[in-house]
Amino acid sequence: DRSLKWEVQSEHYQIDFDKDTLKISFPKTDLSCYAKGDSSTIVNTKGVYFPFSKTWKGVGGRLNWDRTNLSSDTVWAELSSYAITLQNSKFSADSVLFNHRSFFEKAILGKLDEQLLSSRRGNKALFPKFTSYEKRWKISHIFNNIDFVGGVVVEGNHLLGFGDELTQATLRFKRNDTVFITLRSRNFF
């Protein structure tokens, strides 16, 4: 397809034909997608390409948020196992470890969604998108004298808070280190 291209960055691979299945294994590579004037790369991954089904099954790797103007030293996701249908410019991965050094001391577990969109870079980027599994993350001083507790969605370079009916997200406003207003909602944008 002229509008979509997936590419590996390694010259090291092994071709196997097993039970009517052709597969090409890459022990270590970067996997990049180019579409709609946008690009995304999973660095330091390994995987198997199945040409007949046009799928990639990968293990490990790192996806940075650099196309959203967030530094790769500050924000990134570490993938475990994942699968991509290479006829699309999008994929999802469960059980990723997400790092955002501006808000969290350690990585948090959740789901990653990646999709390439034309003219959606920098502050307009909607992807990559990370959604935490846990809905009780605390971010002290998310703004001056404001603490946040809830689930976390990082959509492009925007941090969103979420909860549900049982576990609502909370903003606590402080004056002189004393909480004077508490807001609860399913979502904070």
Side-chain angles (χ1 to χ4, degrees):
D1 188 341
R2 292 181 190 197
S3 65
L4 172 66
K5 179 172 120 178
W6 285 91
E7 179 178 279
V8 292
Q9 303 294 324
S10 176
E11 296 177 4
H12 303 286
Y13 57 89
Q14 179 176 335
I15 299 174
D16 293 310
F17 193 77
D18 181 35
K19 296 182 184 176
D20 300 325
T21 302
L22 176 65
K23 60 183 181 179
I24 305 169
S25 302
F26 295 87
K28 183 178 179 184
T29 190
D30 293 348
L31 177 65
S32 300
C33 182
Y34 303 93
K36 303 174 185 175
D38 200 359
S39 65
S40 179
T41 301
I42 302 170
V43 296
N44 293 325
T45 189
K46 64 182 177 179
V48 180
Y49 171 53
F50 298 90
F52 296 147
S53 63
K54 297 183 180 177
T55 57
W56 170 273
K57 292 189 179 180
V59 177
R62 175 177 165 147
L63 184 73
N64 295 319
W65 257 246
D66 49 1
R67 76 182 209 264
T68 68
N69 296 335
L70 294 173
S71 167
S72 61
D73 294 333
T74 305
V75 182
W76 72 92
E78 299 168 26
L79 286 77
S80 53
S81 60
Y82 62 97
I84 301 174
T85 301
L86 300 178
Q87 294 167 306
N88 297 315
S89 63
K90 62 183 179 179
F91 71 93
S92 296
D94 282 317
S95 301
V96 300
L97 289 173
F98 177 72
N99 295 273
H100 197 310
R101 297 262 168 99
S102 298
F103 295 112
F104 304 105
E105 293 179 17
K106 61 181 184 173
I108 61 177
L109 191 63
K111 179 182 178 188
L112 173 73
D113 292 295
E114 174 66 306
Q115 182 174 349
L116 300 182
L117 301 170
S118 62
S119 304
R120 290 290 191 162
R121 297 183 74 78
N123 289 335
K124 294 181 180 181
L126 300 175
F127 293 93
K129 178 181 175 182
F130 171 81
T131 306
S132 70
Y133 293 148
E134 177 65 43
K135 295 181 185 125
R136 302 301 308 159
W137 291 105
K138 181 176 182 181
I139 303 174
S140 298
H141 308 293
I142 192 164
F143 297 107
N144 192 26
N145 294 317
I146 302 173
D147 295 341
F148 168 80
V149 177
V152 174
V153 174
V154 177
E155 188 175 276
N157 65 5
H158 302 284
L159 178 72
L160 312 170
F162 77 95
D164 56 29
E165 288 185 23
L166 298 176
T167 312
Q168 293 184 328
T170 305
L171 287 175
R172 293 187 180 108
F173 294 78
K174 296 179 181 179
R175 183 183 308 138
N176 299 325
D177 292 328
T178 303
V179 175
F180 73 97
I181 295 176
T182 300
L183 301 176
R184 290 183 178 84
S185 177
R186 282 192 193 179
N187 297 297
F188 286 109
F189 300 100

